[in-house]
Amino acid sequence: MARGTIRYWAAAKDAAGVAEEPFEAATLAELMTNVTVGRDRLSQVIQRSSFLVDGDPVGRRAHDTIVFADGATVEVLPPFAGG
């Protein structure tokens, strides 16, 4: 189990109610399950979001294959509008 920080941006930040928070999880899948318990709005935003783990894009990789090192930083990036 790794400890790290999850950072929320834009709509994810609004839905989470915080800009960042500490976490304990082994994988991205476990983290997403943990942070969305009782947070339906955040769960909806996360389903449409992309992620960076220590600056690297997760892309289409399965979230249960993304294993964290201690001190990991996860960025939650919802879709951005604009031109």
Side-chain angles (χ1 to χ4, degrees):
M1 177 97 41
R3 292 181 183 192
T5 301
I6 183 169
R7 294 184 182 149
Y8 303 102
W9 297 96
K13 179 179 172 182
D14 288 341
V18 295
E20 65 180 49
E21 59 190 339
F23 73 81
E24 287 188 28
T27 66
L28 183 57
E30 181 182 359
L31 175 58
M32 293 302 100
T33 298
N34 293 349
V35 299
T36 58
V37 170
R39 295 163 116 177
D40 293 336
R41 190 165 156 234
L42 180 58
S43 179
Q44 292 171 356
V45 172
I46 280 179
Q47 290 176 25
R48 300 184 319 264
S49 296
S50 58
F51 304 93
L52 299 175
V53 175
D54 294 330
D56 294 325
V58 170
R60 296 184 183 269
R61 291 180 287 163
H63 292 176
D64 61 344
T65 67
I66 308 301
V67 178
F68 299 131
D70 227 13
T73 299
V74 177
E75 311 273 347
V76 180
L77 307 168
F80 294 92

